[in-house]
Amino acid sequence: MAPKKLYIKTYGCQMNVYDSERMAEAMGGEGYETTERPEDADMILLNTCHIREKAAEKVYSELGRYKGLKAARPDLKIGVAGCVAQAEGEEIMRRQPMVDLVVGPQSYHRLPEMEAKVRSGGKALDTDFPEEDKFDHLKGRPKAKRGPTAFLTVQEGCDKFCAFCVVPYTRGAEVSRPAERVLTEARDLVERGVREITLLGQNVNAYHGHDGGLAGLIHALAEVDGLERIRFTTSHPNDMDEALIEAHGTCDKLMPYLHLPVQAGSDKILKRMNRQHTAEQYLRLIERLRAARPDLHLSGDFIVGFPEETEADFQATLDLIEAVEYGSAFSFKYSERPGTPAAERPQVPEDEKDDRLQRLQALLTKQQRSLQDAMVGRDVHVLFEKPGRLPGQMVGKSEYLHAVHVETSGIVPGDLARIRIESSGPNSLKGVMYPL
Ligand code: 5AD
Ligand code: SF4
């Protein structure tokens, strides 16, 4: 029998990218191959994001686009997975009756049986937070070769309850996967060609599946032969313990790049966000990290226009950014999320938010560019990932996560090489093999 075809569209964070891979692998066991074209699919699965209003609305407009396909081929099955599935559940089927299946992020191991149910004409909905660990029940990853970088989820959920955020509701309480299982999966990925692993968790540095916490897991992973680079994301400042700070100085395989969101620079706003730390505490933490690893590049997330944010509060965010100097950053206008405490507070007008976002992004872009330009003349190590657009060109990432283009014939994906940076463009660096 010809394999059935699965089209997965992934929205949102890297954890969704990882989950989509795992779902595709689980469905492989049910005779599905993935396709890049929704029109060829027997099943369309949207792996959704609920973090901001726009992200959630995108799902409904995307579903609308499949109406014609579904009308032409009624046996096409349509599923919604991810955080919108978790947050809205049955409401999705009410709004879009053509949806056959709704599955929340903690129930992906039940996807094969849900698929069988919809195949026989039923509807399937599962948004439970089951006791069992979905990863124990998801089929093992197949042995096929893959690219040199991979995500690996080690922790899920969040107990922090920042006042703006839906994650504690959509992903549930913090859960860590046991270190042994993470190590087995990492070894397996390395056998399949992976050289760099990014450990994922909504609050990854609160990981407790190893006696030594996340630092313990990183040191254990560093022992895996063939694994050259380790990264992790996303971290909360309050869970950056001494061992993890130290690891940045002592573990060669841990890359000098850290995503450490602060969200805002005003203590009043940080308090109302329920972040549980001040701007000063964050800055002291950065100092300790830089003492452990002086060349550390920092990345952050920022929200502008949080309820009751004044111009002076916003200025405090700009001041904090000036003090830190970020190598990269993500910034958002505050988006009201139903059910979160901040949604009940007095809102900042939309045009104010637009104006602040523009000013914030101008500063962040300037910093990003100046740190990137400062790489010119320096040597970096690049893990090559794929051919570039020009013939004979390869692209990879430096330890600081800058994209680096090199014109060379002797390099294949998965190679690590020392590269001298010669120029800096809008989004990437260009370099030559070293020694020349
Ligand atoms: N509005 C805007 N941005 C948000 N984020 C989370 N919730 C919201 C919201 N309601 C941002 C935070 C977080 C990132 C993943 O998304 O900056 O760190
Ligand atoms: Fe959301 Fe991160 Fe705050 Fe948790 S720590 S509530 S995931 S922003």
Side-chain angles (χ1 to χ4, degrees):
M1 210 174 70
K4 287 174 285 187
K5 295 240 176 345
L6 173 68
Y7 171 76
I8 303 191
K9 182 156 180 159
T10 307
Y11 298 83
C13 66
Q14 293 154 327
M15 194 172 288
N16 271 7
V17 174
Y18 175 82
D19 283 344
S20 290
E21 273 178 23
R22 297 296 305 260
M23 285 193 275
E25 288 165 359
M27 295 296 276
E30 308 302 308
Y32 278 88
E33 259 176 13
T34 52
T35 172
E36 300 293 310
R37 293 163 40 94
E39 53 275 30
D40 294 344
D42 298 285
M43 176 175 263
I44 292 176
L45 199 54
L46 304 184
N47 190 6
T48 61
C49 172
H50 201 241
I51 198 99
R52 282 168 291 274
E53 189 183 1
K54 272 207 183 120
E57 278 309 313
K58 264 195 217 154
V59 175
Y60 286 105
S61 60
E62 184 75 11
L63 284 170
R65 290 179 44 197
Y66 299 137
K67 268 203 177 121
L69 275 182
K70 180 86 172 177
R73 280 195 296 122
D75 59 342
L76 166 67
K77 301 299 173 194
I78 297 187
V80 177
C83 293
V84 175
Q86 188 64 43
E88 309 219 340
E90 248 168 301
E91 176 62 21
I92 299 175
M93 288 180 180
R94 263 197 295 275
R95 249 179 98 171
Q96 284 287 5
M98 65 175 186
V99 172
D100 302 285
L101 179 158
V102 173
V103 58
Q106 302 314 323
S107 305
Y108 292 156
H109 52 299
R110 297 188 179 150
L111 201 54
E113 58 195 82
M114 294 173 80
E115 189 270 345
K117 191 166 168 199
V118 299
R119 229 358 93 210
S120 58
K123 296 238 174 196
L125 172 94
D126 195 333
T127 53
D128 288 348
F129 285 106
E131 284 293 307
E132 73 261 42
D133 173 359
K134 69 177 173 195
F135 295 112
D136 282 0
H137 298 268
L138 268 171
K139 290 213 166 61
R141 306 184 103 172
K143 299 286 171 208
K145 274 271 171 236
R146 48 169 301 155
T149 63
F151 295 129
L152 202 175
T153 293
V154 300
Q155 183 275 339
E156 260 188 280
C158 181
D159 299 339
K160 292 280 189 292
F161 290 92
C162 297
F164 49 80
C165 185
V166 287
V167 166
Y169 311 96
T170 54
R171 291 272 172 171
E174 285 176 9
V175 185
S176 296
R177 296 176 69 193
E180 255 330 300
R181 272 194 223 125
V182 174
L183 285 163
T184 304
E185 194 170 328
R187 286 188 204 104
D188 180 59
L189 286 168
V190 169
E191 267 173 41
R192 293 165 59 195
V194 169
R195 295 285 163 268
E196 172 181 306
I197 290 180
T198 302
L199 304 174
L200 299 181
Q202 262 94 29
N203 224 329
V204 72
N205 56 343
Y207 176 79
H208 55 260
H210 186 284
D211 290 346
L214 186 64
L217 179 67
I218 289 169
H219 288 298
L221 276 168
E223 301 291 313
V224 174
D225 279 342
L227 179 62
E228 305 293 346
R229 293 175 153 193
I230 302 167
R231 303 179 186 276
F232 61 92
T233 193
T234 287
S235 298
H236 190 286
N238 289 1
D239 291 315
M240 238 27 240
D241 63 17
E242 193 51 49
L244 191 52
I245 295 173
E246 232 181 76
H248 282 89
T250 56
C251 179
D252 290 343
K253 291 186 181 178
L254 181 59
M255 293 295 101
Y257 178 100
L258 177 65
H259 184 62
L260 194 63
V262 65
Q263 315 293 355
S266 136
D267 287 342
K268 176 191 102 188
I269 295 298
L270 286 169
K271 197 163 174 51
R272 290 184 191 186
M273 284 179 163
N274 191 30
R275 291 290 293 178
Q276 311 275 357
H277 63 77
T278 62
E280 189 58 27
Q281 283 165 334
Y282 180 81
L283 292 173
R284 292 292 81 80
L285 175 60
I286 303 282
E287 271 174 14
R288 286 164 63 208
L289 281 156
R290 284 190 166 143
R293 182 76 203 223
D295 62 337
L296 188 71
H297 271 221
L298 282 148
S299 154
D301 289 340
F302 298 92
I303 296 179
V304 300
F306 185 79
E308 302 166 280
E309 182 190 69
T310 62
E311 175 60 29
D313 293 323
F314 173 66
Q315 193 56 50
T317 302
L318 296 180
D319 293 346
L320 179 140
I321 293 171
E322 293 277 10
V324 172
E325 278 204 78
Y326 286 91
S328 84
F330 304 87
S331 46
F332 316 98
K333 287 191 285 181
Y334 170 71
S335 168
E336 254 175 274
R337 307 312 290 128
T340 58
E344 312 296 322
R345 309 291 305 169
Q347 301 295 314
V348 171
E350 206 54 31
D351 55 345
E352 240 352 281
K353 289 189 201 169
D354 284 329
D355 175 63
R356 289 180 194 166
L357 187 66
Q358 253 188 29
R359 286 150 66 201
L360 184 97
Q361 288 186 337
L363 173 59
L364 287 167
T365 309
K366 192 177 92 194
Q367 287 193 345
Q368 243 162 279
R369 188 63 206 255
S370 95
L371 282 182
Q372 189 191 295
D373 292 349
M375 291 289 151
V376 176
R378 285 180 54 182
D379 295 342
V380 294
H381 287 94
V382 175
L383 175 62
F384 286 94
E385 293 177 19
K386 56 182 185 211
R389 255 179 293 138
L390 301 177
Q393 207 181 44
M394 288 291 290
V395 192
K397 297 271 167 57
S398 77
E399 47 274 70
Y400 309 106
L401 222 48
H402 289 125
V404 180
H405 289 78
V406 177
E407 269 154 46
T408 168
S409 52
I411 280 180
V412 295
D415 283 353
L416 252 174
R418 192 163 163 193
I419 299 296
R420 171 145 307 168
I421 299 301
E422 292 198 315
S423 63
S424 170
N427 299 309
S428 65
L429 296 165
K430 246 182 118 177
V432 291
M433 289 285 282
Y434 183 95
L436 306 176

